[in-house]
Amino acid sequence: MSAAGWMLVAAPVAALVTLTALLRPRAAAAVAPNRLGVLRAALLTGVFAVLTVELLGAVGALTLPALALAWLVFLVGIAVPAGRRRGRAAVRVGTTVAEDRRAVLVGAAVGGPAAGGAPGTGPGRPTAHPAAVRGGVAAMLSGWSDRLTQLWRTGTRGERLLAGTVVGVVLTELVVALLAEPNNFDSQTYHLPKVEHWVAQGSLDFWPTAIHRQVTIPPGAEYLLLHLRLFTGGDALHNLVQWAAGIGCLLAATRITAQLGGGRRAQLLTAFLVATTPMVALQATSTQTDLVAAAWTACAATLALDGLRRRAGLGDALALGAATGLTALTKTSGLLAVGPLLLLWGLAQLRLATRPTGAARQVARTVGGSLLVLLVAATVVGPFLARESTEFGHPLGPPRLRESIPMERHDPASVLVNALRIGHTAFDTPLAPLRAGTAEAIMAGSRAVGVDPQDRAITFGREVFPVPAWYPDEDRVAFPLAGALALLGAVVALVRPRRVSPGRPGALRAYAAVVVCAVLLHTAMIKWQPWGNRLLLYALVLAVPLAGLWVDAVLRRRAGAGRRSVAAGLVVTVLATSALAGVLALSYGFPRRLVGAGSVFTTTEWDTRFLRRPQWADEFRWAASAVRASDARRIGLVQQNDNWEYPWWLLLRDDDGRSPELVALQSVLPDRPPADPASVDAIVCTGPRTECVRLVPAGWTVEYRDHVGYALPPAR
């Protein structure tokens, strides 16, 4: 990557840091103000990134110069108010320093220390307000450093161990994310190819394709990847989007814990459980999208909780709307949690508005704020939904998408069976007898209530329940420890909230009800599937604060010495097992690992990309080499819905890095016909040879291996 590329990559980071200093709440009563500032900054940066792509895409200007100019304007635009805020802070600092000096003189005149100060304070040494002297971004970073140092000094040995584990996991994830090439299966099929199509055509217009997910699945995470793709010219930093989302989940989850009454240890426990969950650890080094969706959903949750005890202002409504829109644009399943959260927020705002003073006006403000939330969300996700409606006649895409994932039966028995199967997969363990026994019990119970456990109306595609999900694979791995603790925490929060949070029982019970509602909605609306655990990631991140609070309550409970010892021992055992699971996921997880076969340290770039299907690596290179040798310029694609397209974009680029002209010879979009095979210079194929041969013009030479082939016209 060029020096200019590195400078451009720094633009989003600079924007995030500047906005954090600008959007950090000033009110002394704000809970975890620094974390709230980061989350607000992330939301605004995300909205800017999305709307920039939408605006430039609408005019066919998705190019590096246009995007670089947009970020430059954005940085200048936020620097102005940040500078003004720093200037106002400097004025306050000057006033404070003058007051301190006057106090010192008065104190000296009466022979004692300055009023409100400390012994030894004198003119020119305003030690009473060191934080006020520092301003802007430098002050924020310095303040964080001081606070972390203080926390480390005052923390117990257990708290230091929790914090050290979280930091170690996050840094290890960063190493893997930087070293490993994108090799997620879905990313090879549609996440990354859609980014390449946008770059090649300079717009967001749909294109003929045999892989409908390239145009029908919400593209919020891919919009963020597009910025990195144009800045760097490649995918070297693509994994950092999910890694950053993992940081966002940690910040939001721990802030939720604090909002529900949890102290430092409860917050560290929450961070520990999130960070060591294998699904989180593996996805944080991936180009999947589930962690991004979980981060936006968690932002919506912590913002909604702010509205339980105080009236929301304009900024609060804008931020909540941004979180809602970004969730919808990234993964619509996250709305199953955001919806109940918005309902909770609205009811809390109405309750606050019914106070005697100005009740009618306050109700009107609440209604207006709610409409503003929806308006902002619609602004973020609306353009994509409009394109879907224009293309397919429905904002949620074609019938095949609307019928493949959502439940097609909603009778109580079917929903119960679906919930039990989802729970079985989510809580799977390496204990094969336990897995087999519980699965058999679920299937027997399903038949007893008149539901086929493999019914296509409640089961995705042609998949068959059960499947092992304990192995640390980014698409499937279960979360029995974090999930079980979250379930226990939710039960206690609903039944005995004061035992967990004596100071915030009402908020805790309400939040637990929302989390339970989200899980119930998920099981009632989304079919069971083998990789369903990653679809539940947003709900897990929202539920873990309940686990952190409950575990903290167990540790502090004043019971008999024997009972306390047993409870503490069990908790320590569970936490140690969770830490081991996280370490094993990073060390041996699939398809990116630190040690063993396929290690990011010993595996070549190309082989890393094909760890899911190593037998295809040489076949793709073989076919691409033949096509490049033919000097083909316009290349036709023959593929099926789940085939890998992304390797062609890498292998068939021009020597200067420009995207190849790849056109589909099949299309599942009714109004976008495929290219004529006679109009291309070469054809590359994946999947069955018969499908390829069927589309090759007469007289062309077809060469095929097991999975990949190519076709060239007769020599001229």
Side-chain angles (χ1 to χ4, degrees), residues 196-254:
E196 296 300 325
H197 278 285
W198 295 333
V199 172
Q201 64 190 24
S203 73
L204 300 176
D205 293 340
F206 291 162
W207 53 90
T209 178
I211 304 173
H212 77 88
R213 292 174 293 174
Q214 291 182 359
V215 296
T216 58
I217 298 294
E222 290 89 341
Y223 281 179
L224 305 181
L225 292 176
L226 176 60
H227 290 261
L228 293 178
R229 169 64 177 85
L230 287 173
F231 288 163
T232 65
D235 58 17
L237 301 182
H238 278 10
N239 292 332
L240 292 186
V241 171
Q242 282 259 110
W243 179 80
I247 301 295
C249 289
L250 289 174
L251 295 176
T254 54

Side-chain angles (χ1 to χ4, degrees), residues 279-446:
M279 178 67 77
V280 175
L282 291 169
Q283 287 232 4
T285 64
S286 168
T287 47
Q288 261 294 8
T289 62
D290 305 283
L291 208 51
V292 178
W296 298 137
T297 305
C299 284
T302 190
L303 293 170
L305 285 176
D306 279 337
L308 297 189
R309 304 192 89 178
R310 63 174 177 82
R311 295 288 303 161
L314 176 62
D316 299 310
L318 292 174
L320 194 53
T324 302
L326 289 170
T327 300
L329 188 63
T330 304
K331 220 172 189 69
T332 51
S333 56
L335 294 178
L336 298 176
V338 174
L341 285 167
L342 291 179
L343 180 60
L344 175 64
W345 178 83
L347 292 174
Q349 291 294 295
L350 285 175
R351 179 181 60 83
L352 294 173
T354 56
R355 294 174 180 175
T357 305
R361 189 174 69 176
Q362 294 299 326
V363 170
R365 279 188 56 192
T366 299
V367 174
S370 301
L371 293 176
L372 181 60
V373 169
L374 298 178
L375 177 61
V376 173
T379 301
V380 174
V381 73
F384 169 71
L385 296 181
R387 288 194 297 275
E388 291 285 295
S389 296
T390 301
E391 191 73 32
F392 303 107
H394 195 286
L396 299 182
R400 65 183 300 175
L401 177 64
R402 303 197 305 271
E403 297 169 0
S404 61
I405 297 177
M407 288 273 285
E408 297 176 78
R409 290 180 56 178
H410 297 91
D411 56 282
S414 296
V415 171
L416 175 61
V417 170
N418 194 54
L420 291 174
R421 294 183 306 165
I422 289 175
H424 179 274
T425 305
F427 290 89
D428 191 22
T429 69
L431 303 176
L434 177 63
R435 178 191 317 122
T438 53
E440 186 56 40
I442 290 172
M443 290 189 288
S446 173

Side-chain angles (χ1 to χ4, degrees), residues 41-332:
L43 289 169
L44 183 52
T45 304
V47 168
F48 169 78
V50 165
L51 295 184
T52 299
V53 170
E54 289 286 0
L55 291 173
L56 294 179
V59 297
L62 279 176
T63 62
L64 176 57
L67 205 61
L69 178 60
W71 277 102
L72 177 61
V73 172
F74 183 59
L75 283 172
V76 172
I78 62 176
V80 172
R84 290 176 179 173
R85 182 172 185 178
R86 182 174 182 177
R88 289 193 295 269
V91 172
R92 291 194 297 272
V93 167
T95 303
T96 301
V97 171
E99 291 174 349
D100 286 346
R101 288 178 174 173
R102 286 195 296 270
V104 169
L105 294 175
V106 171
V110 297
T121 300
R125 298 179 60 190
T127 59
H129 301 278
V133 178
R134 298 187 295 267
V137 173
M140 177 190 69
L141 297 178
S142 178
W144 281 10
S145 176
D146 294 343
R147 187 172 290 104
L148 290 175
T149 301
Q150 180 66 16
L151 290 176
W152 184 261
R153 289 175 178 173
T154 60
T156 65
R157 183 181 301 176
E159 290 173 345
R160 291 178 183 177
L161 183 59
L162 292 172
T165 302
V166 172
V167 172
V169 168
V170 169
L171 292 179
T172 304
E173 291 168 355
L174 177 60
V175 171
V176 176
L178 289 173
L179 292 180
E181 287 72 29
N183 60 0
N184 172 263
F185 194 104
D186 285 347
S187 296
Q188 307 275 21
T189 300
Y190 68 95
H191 289 310
L192 300 186
K194 72 169 67 173
V195 174
E196 296 300 325
H197 278 285
W198 295 333
V199 172
Q201 64 190 24
S203 73
L204 300 176
D205 293 340
F206 291 162
W207 53 90
T209 178
I211 304 173
H212 77 88
R213 292 174 293 174
Q214 291 182 359
V215 296
T216 58
I217 298 294
E222 290 89 341
Y223 281 179
L224 305 181
L225 292 176
L226 176 60
H227 290 261
L228 293 178
R229 169 64 177 85
L230 287 173
F231 288 163
T232 65
D235 58 17
L237 301 182
H238 278 10
N239 292 332
L240 292 186
V241 171
Q242 282 259 110
W243 179 80
I247 301 295
C249 289
L250 289 174
L251 295 176
T254 54
R255 185 169 188 268
I256 290 170
T257 305
Q259 290 172 290
L260 297 176
R264 181 168 65 187
R265 185 174 61 186
Q267 295 173 52
L268 287 172
L269 286 166
T270 297
F272 177 88
L273 290 172
V274 171
T276 57
T277 297
M279 178 67 77
V280 175
L282 291 169
Q283 287 232 4
T285 64
S286 168
T287 47
Q288 261 294 8
T289 62
D290 305 283
L291 208 51
V292 178
W296 298 137
T297 305
C299 284
T302 190
L303 293 170
L305 285 176
D306 279 337
L308 297 189
R309 304 192 89 178
R310 63 174 177 82
R311 295 288 303 161
L314 176 62
D316 299 310
L318 292 174
L320 194 53
T324 302
L326 289 170
T327 300
L329 188 63
T330 304
K331 220 172 189 69
T332 51

Side-chain angles (χ1 to χ4, degrees), residues 123 226 258 366 393 440 520 603 608 637:
L226 176 60
T366 299
E440 186 56 40
L520 293 177
T603 309
T608 297
L637 290 173

